[in-house]
Amino acid sequence: MGNKAILKKAIEEDPLYHKREYDGDFLSKESELLVIEHLCPNCNKVKTFHRKNNPPQRGSDFGSPGRSTGEPTLISSTIHYKYQCTYCGTKINFWVELNSDNNWLRKIGQNPPWSIEIPNDLEKYLHENEEFYKKGLICLSQSFGLGACTYFRRIIENEIDPLLALLIERKKLEGENEDKIEEYKSIKEGKSFTAKTKLAYEITPQSLIIDGMNPFKVLHDFFSQGIHSKNEKECVKIALKAKDSLEFVVIELNREKDNREKFRDSIKDINS
């Protein structure tokens, strides 16, 4: 990935303080990023933004003490990037810290701030998980990856039991024997997430099953890997990668629950 693409990723996608390494002389290429795609707070849609300060404004340098002649040895500096929405003219600002000794950069400021708003179609289904999701986003916005993974995993765990309740209800309507129903209830009320995912997999929508993968288990294992064996930086990467998948799974599973509840009610009406 070239330096321009690295800077673009940092500005468009990264939470604050998430470091990205770059190659060679970054400062000679900083003027290349003239256009970005970003959520416009006024349009409330992702729009094209053009840079307004050309070249970007250099801020304070932080390095070794100055010498009697020449420039001090540069360790890090801040660069201010200002962009304007091509549709409505709304301006957004980013401050990037550049460390030229160790060849990394990170976004250290953003105005308007990194959004922790929940998409409307997701908010509809989160219910009691809304608080966990917001806390996860807040952690992610400050690059607290471990906290983000913990809150996101909790959502996956909370989504299982309502699905199992619907499965048990469906099995009753299908005439499943009482011993089997009690077995299902025992799994639902137990603490083994693995057992729950196996049971819940039976009612997972086909749209979520790709190459036979269980979405509950995949996401839960992914977040657990971060919580138990990764550092904060690695957990940020995990949370960023899995956040969209988590949103998709929650939305699709709850749509499936709604459809099954409607089916259950209609069957009851027929049999009444």
Side-chain angles (χ1 to χ4, degrees):
M1 185 185 298
N3 288 342
K4 179 181 177 180
I6 291 170
L7 177 61
K8 185 176 175 68
K9 281 275 189 182
I11 286 180
E12 290 182 345
E13 301 177 15
D14 284 356
L16 297 184
Y17 314 119
H18 180 58
K19 291 182 180 179
R20 287 184 179 268
E21 296 180 352
Y22 64 86
D23 296 319
D25 184 5
F26 179 85
L27 293 178
S28 66
K29 302 178 181 180
E30 67 188 19
S31 62
E32 292 181 1
L33 192 58
L34 300 176
V35 178
I36 64 170
E37 303 295 322
H38 205 273
L39 177 66
C40 177
N42 184 53
C43 301
N44 201 29
K45 292 181 179 179
V46 174
K47 294 289 185 180
T48 300
F49 284 76
H50 284 274
R51 205 175 67 213
K52 299 305 294 179
N53 55 343
N54 194 6
Q57 181 180 350
R58 288 285 299 276
S60 301
D61 293 339
F62 305 94
S64 61
R67 303 169 188 153
S68 57
T69 59
E71 295 292 329
T73 300
L74 178 63
I75 294 179
S76 64
S77 62
T78 58
I79 306 174
H80 176 204
Y81 295 90
K82 183 187 297 183
Y83 293 89
Q84 186 171 14
C85 177
T86 56
Y87 184 80
C88 71
T90 295
K91 295 181 178 65
I92 55 178
N93 296 269
F94 303 94
W95 289 265
V96 175
E97 179 184 4
L98 181 73
N99 187 301
S100 58
D101 277 9
N102 297 311
N103 284 6
W104 57 256
L105 60 84
R106 62 180 180 177
K107 185 166 59 180
I108 60 173
Q110 179 174 328
N111 185 35
W114 203 74
S115 177
I116 59 170
E117 291 188 10
I118 301 174
N120 291 336
D121 52 349
L122 176 64
E123 187 175 22
K124 174 183 177 182
Y125 292 120
L126 280 173
H127 307 302
E128 69 274 7
N129 288 320
E130 182 176 342
E131 181 180 358
F132 294 124
Y133 192 76
K134 282 187 174 180
K135 287 181 177 179
L137 290 180
I138 291 170
C139 287
L140 191 53
S141 73
Q142 299 295 316
S143 287
F144 295 131
L146 179 59
C149 285
T150 301
Y151 285 120
F152 290 162
R153 187 181 71 169
R154 180 69 179 273
I155 293 171
I156 290 294
E157 292 172 345
N158 287 349
E159 288 295 316
I160 290 291
D161 285 354
L163 279 172
L164 294 182
L166 286 174
L167 172 61
I168 294 170
E169 192 71 25
R170 189 189 74 181
K171 291 298 184 180
K172 284 182 179 178
L173 292 173
E174 292 174 350
E176 185 69 83
N177 68 67
E178 195 60 34
D179 289 342
K180 205 67 176 175
I181 293 296
E182 290 303 315
E183 179 185 334
Y184 293 154
K185 288 181 178 179
S186 177
I187 292 173
K188 174 181 175 294
E189 294 166 4
K191 295 184 178 181
S192 171
F193 188 81
T194 299
K196 290 184 179 185
T197 59
K198 288 180 179 178
L199 189 56
Y201 187 65
E202 295 183 27
I203 60 167
T204 299
Q206 290 299 311
S207 61
L208 291 178
I209 300 175
I210 301 174
D211 296 332
M213 290 188 295
N214 185 332
F216 298 103
K217 189 175 187 306
V218 170
L219 281 173
H220 190 271
D221 288 352
F222 197 43
F223 290 130
S224 295
Q225 181 185 26
I227 293 168
H228 297 301
S229 62
K230 303 296 182 182
N231 59 33
E232 288 283 9
K233 180 180 178 180
E234 292 168 327
C235 283
V236 167
K237 292 181 180 180
I238 287 173
L240 285 172
K241 284 182 179 179
K243 183 173 73 69
D244 290 345
S245 297
L246 173 63
E247 292 178 2
F248 179 70
V249 165
V250 169
I251 290 170
E252 290 301 314
L253 289 178
N254 279 279
R255 284 176 179 165
E256 178 75 1
K257 284 193 291 184
D258 286 350
N259 290 335
R260 289 190 179 279
E261 285 174 347
K262 290 177 182 178
F263 175 75
R264 179 194 60 192
D265 293 342
S266 67
I267 291 296
K268 285 183 176 179
D269 287 342
I270 291 174
N271 292 330
S272 61

